[in-house]
């Protein structure tokens, strides 16, 4: 069973913020093994005809992998590189499932993550692998990636609700 992950109103992320009027408004869920989102994209995210633009699929994959790293590894993760294999067209107006998972960690500062976009019937439309940098919360604040307020009011409480987290 999946439960909804909390989000915050203190950002304007194109992919996951509910406050960005031009964004994707992804809602995120977890079963503690993967992070998942279901999304139905409107026509203005299309390329030819009713096909979802490949850049939008890339954004969905990058976001779901980033949240998989954030939630499942309990750290802020940043994309270093990602590869995408597009296998079937995704269409606007159809419900897509986007799933992110941790493949492995490579030391304390690197992780390999995976994302997949599929139709409701399980057909895979696109799959991605990415190398991500793992940042400590303090370094993320120092680099200006998140604010100290966001760390205290969103990230720390998010990390504390993870089952088995005793940090």
């Amino acid at each position: 069973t999946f439960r909804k992950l909390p989000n915050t109103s203190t950002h304007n992320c194109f992919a996951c913020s509910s406050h960005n009027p031009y964004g994707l408004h992804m809602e995120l869920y977890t079963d503690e093994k993967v992070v998942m989102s279901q999304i139905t994209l409107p026509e203005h995210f299309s390329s030819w005809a009713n096909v979802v633009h490949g850049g939008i699929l890339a954004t969905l994959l990058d976001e779901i992998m980033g949240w998989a790293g954030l939630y499942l590894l309990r750290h802020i993760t940043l994309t270093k590189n990602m590869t995408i294999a597009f296998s079937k067209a995704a269409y606007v107006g159809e419900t897509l499932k986007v799933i992110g998972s941790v493949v492995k960690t490579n030391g304390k500062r690197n992780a390999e993550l995976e994302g997949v976009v599929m139709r409701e019937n399980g057909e895979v439309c696109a799959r991605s692998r990415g190398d991500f940098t793992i940042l400590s919360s303090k370094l993320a604040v120092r680099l200006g990636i998140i604010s100290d307020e966001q760390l205290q009011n969103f990230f720390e409480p998010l990390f504390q609700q993870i089952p088995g987290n005793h940090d």
Side-chain angles (χ1 to χ4, degrees), residues 26 56-66 82-86 98-100 114-117 126-128 132:
M26 292 175 74
I56 298 299
L57 293 176
T59 301
L60 292 171
L61 290 164
D62 185 43
E63 189 70 9
I64 205 71
M65 290 188 297
M82 60 188 273
T83 59
I84 304 170
F86 297 98
V98 188
I99 298 173
E114 182 177 60
V116 63
V117 176
R127 183 180 303 275
S128 180
F132 284 69

Side-chain angles (χ1 to χ4, degrees), residues 70-114:
L70 173 72
Y71 185 76
L72 299 171
L73 297 175
R74 294 177 223 115
H75 286 286
I76 305 215
T77 55
L78 296 177
T79 312
K80 287 196 290 189
N81 66 65
M82 60 188 273
T83 59
I84 304 170
F86 297 98
S87 51
K88 295 199 182 279
Y91 297 99
V92 295
E94 77 175 322
T95 301
L96 300 171
K97 186 182 287 188
V98 188
I99 298 173
S101 60
V102 176
V103 176
K104 65 181 176 179
T105 56
N106 303 314
K108 289 184 172 184
R109 296 288 171 235
N110 297 292
E112 184 178 345
L113 303 173
E114 182 177 60

Side-chain angles (χ1 to χ4, degrees), residues 17-90:
S17 174
S18 61
H19 302 288
N20 186 326
Y22 306 105
L24 298 172
H25 303 178
M26 292 175 74
E27 292 184 350
L28 299 144
Y29 300 83
T30 188
D31 65 354
E32 309 305 327
K33 296 176 191 140
V34 300
V35 174
M36 187 269 297
S37 181
Q38 285 189 290
I39 190 164
T40 304
L41 296 165
E43 188 176 345
H44 65 272
F45 290 122
S46 68
S47 59
W48 295 100
N50 292 320
V51 175
V52 175
H53 192 283
I56 298 299
L57 293 176
T59 301
L60 292 171
L61 290 164
D62 185 43
E63 189 70 9
I64 205 71
M65 290 188 297
W67 270 88
L70 173 72
Y71 185 76
L72 299 171
L73 297 175
R74 294 177 223 115
H75 286 286
I76 305 215
T77 55
L78 296 177
T79 312
K80 287 196 290 189
N81 66 65
M82 60 188 273
T83 59
I84 304 170
F86 297 98
S87 51
K88 295 199 182 279

